[in-house]
Amino acid sequence: MAKMEVKTSLLDNMIGVGDMVLLEPLNEETFINNLKKRFDHNEIYTYIGSVVISVNPYRSLPIYSPEKVEDYRNRNFYELSPHIFALSDEAYRSLRDQDKDQCILITGESGAGKTEASKLVMSYVAAVCGKGAEVNQVKEQLLQSNPVLEAFGNAKTVRNDNSSRFGKYMDIEFDFKGDPLGGVISNYLLEKSRVVKQPRGERNFHVFYQLLSGASEELLNKLKLERDFSRYNYLSLDSAKVNGVDDAANFRTVRNAMQIVGFMDHEAESVLEVVAAVLKLGNIEFKPESRVNGLDESKIKDKNELKEICELTGIDQSVLERAFSFRTVEAKQEKVSTTLNVAQAYYARDALAKNLYSRLFSWLVNRINESIKAQTKVRKKVMGVLDIYGFEIFEDNSFEQFIINYCNEKLQQIFIELTLKEEQEEYIREDIEWTHIDYFNNAIICDLIENNTNGILAMLDEECLRPGTVTDETFLEKLNQVCATHQHFESRMSKCSRFLNDTSLPHSCFRIQHYAGKVLYQVEGFVDKNNDLLYRDLSQAMWKAGHTLIKSLFPEGNPAKINLKRPPTAGSQFKASVATLMKNLQTKNPNYIRCIKPNDKKAAHIFNEALVCHQIRYLGLLENVRVRRAGYAFRQAYEPCLERYKMLCKQTWPHWKGPARAGVEVLFNELEIPVEEYSFGRSKIFIRNPRTLFKLEDLRKQRLEDLATLIQKIYRGWKCRTHFLLMRKSQIVIAAWYRRYAQQKRYQQIKSSALVIQSYIRGWKARKILRELKHQKRCEEAATTIAAYWHGTQVRREYRKFFRANAGKKIYEFTIQRIMQKYFLEMKNKMPSLSPIDKNWPSRPYLFLDSTHKELKRIFHLWRCKKYRDQFTDQQKLIYEEKLEASELFKDKKALYPSSVGQPFQGAYLEINKNPKYKKLQDAIEEKIIIAEVVNKINRANGKSTSRIFLLTNNNLLLADQKSGQIKSEVPLVDVTKVSMSSQNDGFFAIHLKEGSEAASKGDFLFSSDHLIEMATKLYRTTLSQTKQKLNIEISDEFLVQFRQDKVCVKFIQGNQKNGSVPTCKRKNNRLLEVAVP
Ligand SMILES: Nc1ncnc2c1ncn2[C@@H]1O[C@H](COP(=O)(O)OP(=O)(O)O)[C@@H](O)[C@H]1O
Ligand SMILES: [Mg+2]
């Protein structure tokens, strides 16, 4: 299958016409309108044949992306819409594939976009040529040379914020494969006057501002600079800041670029030192000083700046100071020194600054060239890119503008020559007859300027070299004499009467009618600038500098090489370099980019027709089109032509088998295009008139529409038919399926109906039989029932007597027995623990067993208590008896009782027999001791207490001293009548004695003890067992105690918290003893 290839053409989707040669009719107005229309649609590029016109958009357009580069790569020039990339690609491929050296000439006014265009060309070539580490480094160095040169050579002007103030021609060198090897840069005439003075609204070279804004404090200190622009006379202040330009950031970019290009650190530093020295030179000021002999002399006002410059550059201060005050002229072994007046001193200073800077710039270019120069000696192919300052017309035009405009004249000249030459060559190549056309040839203007005998430059040189007083006026006079008759020279003073009354032409000026317009040149300064004089004293001072770079910039300052011959003038130098350039360009295949500035405001979207018209005129673009169309407006190789139009003829459509040229012939015959309208070249068809091409295009468009309709028609027919066939096929399938489905449905319906009917009939039959059978069965059952009842009656009648009497009771008893049995068996398994204090007891299962259940619980409890008691020894039994006794006596009566329950009753707390201290006491007692304990005996007189040993034996109660064990009192138990105590939680008790007994002589005892309950119980029990009498125990909160003769009332008061939790006793008066119980 044939490969589908989409052939595009410049002619597709054109806005206006993409190539001006197709413009119909061709005149200035249509030309401008076409440019404007395209500009308004963001199409900034338009062709004139192979020349690219570029209109500066003054804003970034998305047409330079890597994708665009890919689009234009390896495509034919006319295949895509006009673009600078198409031209770059054409040039690069022609260089690589056809071995033709190329040059790309970029022309246009200042600010028209030349420098941008040159950068675009370079970046395109860099993107499409070979890759690899080494190649990439070369590319990078070539590209990075731009920022460095722009920093030192570009400045803001009223026309362009980044105007190149030097001409630049760069040869990029390639090897046979098309890989870049290196490059060579030539620079032309830096506008050095800018260093010392800038027109209003313009700036000095970028580098000064970049250095002051971007350098670190440290670097500034080192360079002895201050950041403030206003400190420097050479910097114009009114436009020191440029919108959208970050000087500080650019400074870093430049430093970085210098590094990439290969500047050593010390080199970059030296360069900045020179820049600093230039800046500081501007701050040196002079004042007049008159000497006795009447000669004017000047003196430096403030030597501080001078000192710093000398420190920076390593120049002897006195040497430099002298060079600013004297001028030495040497002629034939004679040396004459004259003093400089103030004006001369300033002139010398500025000349030095300008020379220093411009020589530094040339040094930079050479240094860059050293870095980027190709390393091999093999034959190289070359692509030159020329970005030279554009034609300039200012209010005041001086020597610089004259030189610049001269250069542009020359370029226009070469443009005309080369375009014509190329055109002619193509006609010859294609074997087409050449028709001559008229156009303005500016050779005559070039001649006016550069002619060796009477050209303006020659005249200027002559004037400069002439002995005697030479001024700008004498130069103008000379011009007036020599050039007066020249068509393009105008001067008020010339003999030619034409301009005698022209007031627009001042006396100190001359005017040249350049190809691009008339320019008025101020003659002032021409001689000086052409001489470009630097006093020898200054160059010698510079040569003596310790700074190697500065020294190398002024080789002529070396006294050993003194050369009395004048150096060549600026004009002649420039003329020579332009001549070299032109020669160089002529050996190469030219490619043109003609830049046009759409407005003067640097603004986007504005298209000033008058301004554009002016540029079109002086660029001679219309003539360019005419030259190109001379004879034939349009040409195209046979293959693409046949490819594009073959559908217009039956024989060539869709495929032409023969050679393309024959095909085109057949095609043109068939279309009946008049023979005079076209010509057959060797490889191309030449079309005389754009109309014919447009007619072809129209026909093609029409035919394409027809073809589209045809294709559409056939496609639609085919589509409908296929659709129909598909539908028909589908319909049959659907019908078949449907029929089958319907039959199936019907069959299933019939079948199910038959089943229903069948089942009904069967059901009816079965029910009938069932009814009969049921009847039969009921009859049988009835008979059986009747028989059963009858038998039952008979049997009951017979056995009644056996039943009624006993059965019920027996059954009842049996049932009860079974229940009881079950109850007990269950109880056996549910018995609670043997602990007497366990309260658990299973719930009762039957209501009628309620009392049994309770009884059983009681019995069980008694039983387990007995079991518990049976474990006791006799001693334990005794203790429990005692406890029981205590419970009977005190439970619920005395508040102290509950705390005693848990205490075991020990009786003999004091083990008297073991303590030798109580030996005597023990010896005195023969009976068994029941209680031996220390108690507090309360002194009845004051309520204070003393410790006593309390002993209870079977028959007696003894009190002994606790320390000595000596018996204090002995009371037989028969004499104890009563024991009194309170109902509260205290241990006080009184022992009342029988009145009249021996013991009672001192009165009753009042004690307090921790074991009151135990003591009282034991006392009670002992008394009972010995005397068979119950001891009276009185529990009352107020009782009387015998006290010798008196009775004292002991009263218990509750709630006195004064002494904490201990009960206290206090004698209130002789009748009352108060015990406070907490
Ligand atoms: N192709 C472009 N796209 C966008 N802006 C452009 C283009 N060409 C030029 N410019 C703008 O115009 C300004 C001047 O261009 P420049 O190339 O420096 O002019 P010239 O070198 O002709 O004096 C640039 O700084 C840039 O802002
Ligand atoms: Mg420029």
Side-chain angles (χ1 to χ4, degrees), residues 379-401:
R379 207 188 79 77
K380 301 156 203 150
K381 307 180 186 188
V382 177
M383 179 185 284
V385 181
L386 181 70
D387 166 25
I388 207 144
Y389 16 54
F391 194 79
E392 267 177 4
I393 310 175
F394 292 132
E395 253 167 55
D396 287 335
N397 301 296
S398 182
F399 182 70
E400 287 85 357
Q401 279 68 46

Side-chain angles (χ1 to χ4, degrees), residues 328-340:
T328 314
V329 182
E330 271 175 75
K332 294 173 193 156
Q333 270 89 45
E334 238 181 295
K335 253 192 192 176
V336 187
S337 254
T338 50
T339 56
L340 298 179

Side-chain angles (χ1 to χ4, degrees), residues 44-45 54-61 64 108-117 120 154 160-164 387 595:
I44 60 164
Y45 299 114
S54 155
V55 186
N56 188 348
Y58 280 118
R59 73 202 158 96
S60 64
L61 293 174
Y64 306 113
E109 276 185 31
S110 178
K114 299 182 295 293
T115 307
E116 292 295 325
L120 286 170
N154 287 23
N160 182 354
D161 287 348
N162 182 31
S163 178
S164 323
D387 166 25
C595 298

